[in-house]
Amino acid sequence: MSRFDLLKSWIRVGADRAKEGIDAVRPVGALRRVVGELRKQRLVVPESVLSNAIAHAPGVLAANATARRGQIQFDARFADGELACALEFFGTRFAPRGAKEITFRVHPAGSARDGRVRDLTGAIAGVIARGLWPMAIPPGKPLHGAIVDREGDDLVRVDLRSVPAVRDALGNGPMALVLEAIELKRIDTVDGELLLHLKLPGLNL
């Protein structure tokens, strides 16, 4: 099997898992929709998946997330109080056999200093990783736990390789190939959906 045949095979597995996981809330034609989105070199994550992920972040009692007006906005309740903030996509850095990083600007300014914000960002990173590489993160795998670094008072940076399920997948030769081949170009938030714009090799799906 050639390198691209292997990649196409894993992409199809990813589409099936995306059907079960990311688009399970939209069952009608879900698999067809996912494959269609892959052809357009993008994937769609509904904001309900974001809410579910942050609701399972450490210490969170209740949470809600929305993807609107260019931001991922979330409200979370902890034992010590409420937290409301937003993430705005700032940039990516994907290097061959290296970093798979996303940087967000945090609103309001100064929120990046709050460890709870970084925990929630780690959960969002898990959602993005599963959207980008659904073949590597089956439904049911925890999405939180990514390492999030602060850059100044208003930027946070997360390497998707630090998402535990992705880290496990990197030890699998064929899966590591797929993770290297699929690159995230940018993220948009439109009408309740997170749009992951991809860079893929020439594949006929």
Side-chain angles (χ1 to χ4, degrees):
M1 182 180 287
S2 73
R3 178 176 181 271
F4 286 118
D5 285 341
L6 178 63
L7 180 56
K8 285 190 286 186
S9 174
W10 279 110
I11 290 290
R12 291 187 185 104
V13 172
D16 189 50
R17 285 187 174 167
K19 168 188 173 289
E20 297 171 7
I22 294 173
D23 268 347
V25 297
R26 299 178 183 183
V28 179
L31 178 57
R32 188 163 54 249
R33 181 176 187 265
V34 171
V35 173
E37 295 296 340
L38 283 170
R39 287 198 182 105
K40 298 175 187 175
Q41 300 198 50
R42 73 179 189 186
L43 284 168
V44 178
V45 181
E47 59 189 17
S48 58
V49 176
L50 304 176
S51 291
N52 185 63
I54 65 171
H56 290 87
V60 175
L61 301 179
N64 181 65
T66 60
R68 312 274 170 160
R69 297 181 293 278
Q71 296 181 344
I72 303 168
Q73 302 173 9
F74 42 77
D75 297 279
R77 180 163 54 86
F78 296 81
D80 59 353
E82 306 278 339
L83 173 67
C85 60
L87 301 177
E88 178 186 356
F89 173 68
F90 187 79
T92 64
R93 186 169 75 90
F94 274 53
R97 295 178 297 279
K100 306 287 183 281
E101 294 179 348
I102 307 173
T103 303
F104 294 101
R105 186 179 300 281
V106 185
H107 302 276
S111 297
R113 294 193 298 267
D114 191 328
R116 298 174 302 173
V117 171
R118 296 195 296 275
D119 285 341
L120 296 179
T121 302
I124 296 297
V127 170
I128 292 169
R130 192 172 69 184
L132 188 60
W133 303 305
M135 66 293 293
I137 310 180
K141 280 274 190 177
L143 296 180
H144 57 78
I147 298 170
V148 179
D149 295 313
R150 177 169 65 90
E151 296 186 351
D153 289 338
D154 63 346
L155 293 178
V156 290
R157 175 175 44 83
V158 56
D159 193 327
L160 297 181
R161 295 175 303 170
S162 71
V163 174
V166 175
R167 192 165 58 237
D168 292 344
L170 286 170
N172 177 325
M175 188 61 71
L177 172 65
V178 175
L179 266 61
E180 285 294 332
I182 303 175
E183 180 179 335
L184 179 64
K185 294 168 60 179
R186 74 177 193 277
I187 300 171
D188 291 332
T189 52
V190 180
D191 297 331
E193 294 180 327
L194 207 62
L195 304 182
L196 308 181
H197 297 272
L198 315 178
K199 180 179 179 181
L200 293 168
L203 298 175
N204 295 314
L205 296 172

